Amino acid sequence: MPSFKIAVIGGDGIGPEVIDQAVRVLEVATSKANASFTWNKLPWSAINYEKTGVMVPDDGWDLLKKHDAIFLGAVGHPSVSDHIPVHGLLLPMRRMFDQYVNLRPSYLYAGVDSPLRDKAPGSIDILFFRENTEGEYAPIGGRLYTGFPEEIAIQTNTFTRKGCERIIRAAFNAARNRPRKKVTSITKSNAQTFGMVLWDECFKRVASEFKDVNASSLLVDAAAMDLVRKPEHFDVIVASNLFGDILTDLAAIVTGTIGLASSGNINPDRTFPSMFEPVHGSAPDIAGKGMANPMAAVLSGALMLEHLGLKDAANNVNQAVAKVLKAGAPRTPDLGGKASTKEITDAILAAL
Ligand code: NAD
Ligand code: IPM
Ligand code: MN
């Protein structure tokens, strides 16, 4: 029986609420697939930092490396500066574990209304490849004359040929296996004339290796418009770290709710564990109310199953979620219903 060790970091706010429920679903899905998961729950969170002064313990990174994957809810709490969980855990993990592919599907499910008029189920089906280790998120820069009128802040975008080419190549490889075989690269190379011009050059070079895939480039402002004007047009999108972050929240709402947006932070070379988490954050506005949609976490769990080679189990979970959505009820408030996080999970389990 294949067995896997999963590190579970529920985090803050709705993070643990949705992750605990997603673990229930994954338990059933894996046991049906004759696989076994052991879950190693870690308390790392912003609120835990407030109590202990520690975000990740000294041996934390070595501990994580001993797992087959990491399942994360969300980190961030209103009483703690976001700098602590974001720069103490989330972004260092993506970089140190070389999780350079941030895979984020956006799909309009049957039974879910897009806020855009007349969109048929399945008509919006986008797979985002967000660069996840450099770009606008590189922690390079500094502050000078802090507190003085002459105060300076410098934040340096970092684009490397290796970094651009590998995320672009990953996007083309995925597009090759999708029916429409189309990749759109999104930059702002008319304004950001160093890093993003390098990106564009890398895109052209990698595209030339994939003659069977249709390649095009779009500036991010036009892309934001087209994601609303004609989202059906997009198949695979490859974008920089920051643009990928922004556009995946936009695509999430265009396909109904952020409560369905899943993601994998993937190290394709498998030199370190990959991390799976919903696109959404800790949602302090609804935390503790038991009303968060757990489906984004469940679907992120399905991405984890797929990454671990449990393709049938992943398909079963995806289909169970699709079935509950198609049925029209129960639904959490983000989808217009009144059901709780647990009631939705019970329905997914029944569908499984
Ligand atoms: P958010 O995603 O937490 O919330 C945005 C809006 O979406 C809120 O109205 C929230 O109620 C709603 N929402 C989010 N998830 C939902 C769900 N599953 N079901 C129903 N509604 C849902 O973004 P934010 O408010 O900008 O950030 C809150 C905190 O989370 C901040 O500290 C931020 O830094 C952090 N954050 C963490 C991660 C992560 O850990 N990966 C991701 C995004 C934001
Ligand atoms: C996400 C989040 C993070 C990001 C934040 C919390 C730094 O918004 O995972 O989408 O921007 O990557
Ligand atoms: Mn985000």
Side-chain angles (χ1 to χ4, degrees), residues 133-147:
T133 52
E134 52 177 49
E136 308 88 339
Y137 280 38
I140 296 177
R143 298 274 299 264
L144 200 56
Y145 308 122
T146 312

Side-chain angles (χ1 to χ4, degrees), residues 14 18 72-77 82 86 90 94 249 257-259 277-286 291-294 296 334:
I14 66 166
V18 295
L72 189 143
V75 287
H77 193 277
D82 268 342
V86 169
L90 193 65
R94 292 173 179 170
D249 265 35
T257 169
I258 196 154
E277 57 169 348
V279 169
H280 64 71
S282 53
D285 54 338
I286 58 166
M291 60 191 263
N293 191 340
D334 57 315

Side-chain angles (χ1 to χ4, degrees), residues 94 102 104 130 137 241-242 244-246 248-249 258 278-281:
R94 292 173 179 170
N102 191 188
R104 296 186 159 189
R130 168 190 180 194
Y137 280 38
N241 210 333
L242 180 63
D245 176 50
I246 298 167
T248 51
D249 265 35
I258 196 154
V279 169
H280 64 71

Side-chain angles (χ1 to χ4, degrees), residues 77-286:
H77 193 277
S79 66
V80 178
S81 161
D82 268 342
H83 180 82
I84 299 290
V86 169
H87 296 277
L89 172 69
L90 193 65
L91 302 186
M93 186 193 297
R94 292 173 179 170
R95 284 194 299 267
M96 275 200 282
F97 289 173
D98 214 14
Q99 298 162 346
Y100 68 85
V101 172
N102 191 188
L103 183 70
R104 296 186 159 189
S106 274
Y107 184 80
L108 182 59
Y109 285 90
V112 175
D113 287 333
S114 168
L116 306 178
R117 242 183 300 128
D118 305 330
K119 299 297 178 195
S123 63
I124 308 173
D125 181 2
I126 309 170
L127 196 55
F128 282 89
F129 280 75
R130 168 190 180 194
E131 202 293 316
N132 216 24
T133 52
E134 52 177 49
E136 308 88 339
Y137 280 38
I140 296 177
R143 298 274 299 264
L144 200 56
Y145 308 122
T146 312
F148 291 91
E150 297 79 8
E151 196 161 358
I152 301 172
I154 294 177
Q155 183 92 40
T156 308
N157 288 1
T158 305
F159 289 85
T160 66
R161 183 163 169 170
K162 176 184 163 193
C164 295
E165 284 190 354
R166 64 185 186 173
I167 185 68
I168 293 167
R169 193 165 281 116
F172 273 97
N173 275 318
R176 188 168 255 177
N177 295 314
R178 286 165 64 91
R180 289 187 286 162
K181 299 193 196 316
K182 196 155 120 182
V183 179
T184 309
S185 160
I186 294 174
T187 64
K188 185 73 189 175
S189 49
N190 55 351
Q192 303 237 300
T193 48
F194 304 115
M196 289 197 173
V197 168
L198 173 63
W199 174 293
D200 282 2
E201 288 166 6
C202 291
F203 184 71
K204 278 202 186 109
R205 192 158 44 236
V206 175
S208 71
E209 297 165 17
F210 292 82
K211 302 266 188 253
D212 55 324
V213 178
N214 180 303
S216 59
S217 293
L218 209 51
L219 295 168
V220 67
D221 42 357
M225 180 175 71
D226 278 355
L227 275 167
V228 174
R229 181 169 66 140
K230 47 174 185 177
E232 306 88 338
H233 165 82
F234 295 101
D235 179 17
V236 172
I237 288 179
V238 61
S240 66
N241 210 333
L242 180 63
F243 293 171
D245 176 50
I246 298 167
L247 296 178
T248 51
D249 265 35
L250 175 59
I253 202 65
V254 161
T255 49
T257 169
I258 196 154
L260 287 172
S262 59
S263 91
N265 299 262
I266 298 171
N267 172 331
D269 309 320
R270 296 179 188 257
T271 44
F272 296 105
S274 294
M275 183 267 279
F276 298 83
E277 57 169 348
V279 169
H280 64 71
S282 53
D285 54 338
I286 58 166

Side-chain angles (χ1 to χ4, degrees), residues 11 20 34 50 63 65 67 79 92 114 172 191 209 227 240 250 254 297 306 319 346 352:
D20 286 353
N34 283 321
E50 196 174 47
L63 178 80
K65 285 179 195 165
H67 295 80
S79 66
S114 168
F172 273 97
E209 297 165 17
L227 275 167
S240 66
L250 175 59
V254 161
E306 194 166 340
Q319 280 165 22
D346 292 343
L352 253 186

